[in-house]
Amino acid sequence: MTMNKEEAAVLLSFHSGRNPDIDNPKWTNGFLGSLRKYDESIQEHNFIEVMECLKVLSEDFKSDTLDRDLMADLFGILYQTTIWIEEGHLSDLPSDKKDRIKTWMKIYSYALTILLDYTDDCYEEAFFAFDDYMNGENDFE
């Protein structure tokens, strides 16, 4: 699926649970929505979609100012997932699922950190771990 920046920003707002259209299935079944209503499965496709949104929006990190909603969406995903895994309703997950989600957050937070410290050649570095993950390799496990 090819998306533009506006589509990526809207999709990310659903994944973060910050989009006001709570009747949209993407709100309930997006990244945080699926973790909120955890039903014994984790939705890898949501993690991949969040990372694809971040790739599309990565050019925005070149600016000296970043959109407040974008940052709230990005950090909301990281914060909520981390809290739920460590202390919340996901803390009792089977270790393999918990470890998978932790790996996703390591990959995600690494990309976000590199993008926030933006340099002209950081794009490849920011998504190196994600690309490895998608190729079946993982340095974070």
Side-chain angles (χ1 to χ4, degrees), residues 42 85 93-106 138 140-141:
I42 56 176
I85 284 287
L93 281 178
S95 62
D96 62 322
K97 292 178 181 180
K98 193 176 192 178
D99 290 346
R100 176 60 62 98
I101 295 170
K102 284 181 176 183
T103 295
W104 293 346
M105 288 300 97
K106 288 175 186 175
N138 185 3
F140 287 110
E141 287 185 351

Side-chain angles (χ1 to χ4, degrees), residues 8 22-23 38 45 49 60 76 83 86 104-105 111 120 123 133:
I22 62 172
D23 294 324
Y38 178 68
H45 65 92
E49 203 167 69
D60 291 359
I83 291 298
E86 298 301 324
W104 293 346
M105 288 300 97
D120 287 338
Y123 178 86
Y133 177 85

Side-chain angles (χ1 to χ4, degrees), residues 80-138:
Q80 288 299 123
T81 304
T82 302
I83 291 298
W84 290 347
I85 284 287
E86 298 301 324
E87 304 170 9
H89 70 285
L90 299 176
S91 62
D92 295 329
L93 281 178
S95 62
D96 62 322
K97 292 178 181 180
K98 193 176 192 178
D99 290 346
R100 176 60 62 98
I101 295 170
K102 284 181 176 183
T103 295
W104 293 346
M105 288 300 97
K106 288 175 186 175
I107 293 168
Y108 174 76
S109 64
Y110 181 77
L112 187 54
T113 299
I114 296 298
L115 290 172
L116 285 169
D117 192 26
Y118 202 93
T119 61
D120 287 338
D121 58 347
C122 81
Y123 178 86
E124 186 175 317
E125 175 67 22
F127 296 104
F128 184 77
F130 176 63
D131 293 340
D132 278 355
Y133 177 85
M134 293 302 291
N135 290 323
E137 303 166 22
N138 185 3

Side-chain angles (χ1 to χ4, degrees), residues 8 16 31 35 39 58 75 77 121 125 130:
S16 72
F31 189 84
L35 293 178
D39 64 358
S58 65
F75 279 99
I77 289 170
D121 58 347
E125 175 67 22
F130 176 63

Side-chain angles (χ1 to χ4, degrees), residues 16-79:
S16 72
R18 294 187 66 251
N19 191 298
D21 184 4
I22 62 172
D23 294 324
N24 187 307
K26 195 59 168 178
W27 194 94
T28 305
N29 299 315
F31 189 84
L32 286 183
S34 67
L35 293 178
R36 185 178 290 113
K37 64 172 179 88
Y38 178 68
D39 64 358
E40 301 298 318
S41 64
I42 56 176
Q43 307 295 322
E44 181 181 52
H45 65 92
N46 282 327
F47 165 67
I48 292 168
E49 203 167 69
V50 165
M51 291 301 294
E52 293 297 332
C53 288
L54 190 55
K55 279 185 173 185
V56 170
L57 296 167
S58 65
E59 286 289 316
D60 291 359
F61 287 83
K62 285 183 178 181
S63 174
D64 288 337
T65 58
L66 294 170
D67 180 84
R68 180 183 175 97
D69 287 327
L70 170 63
M71 297 312 296
D73 291 338
L74 293 170
F75 279 99
I77 289 170
L78 181 60
Y79 176 77

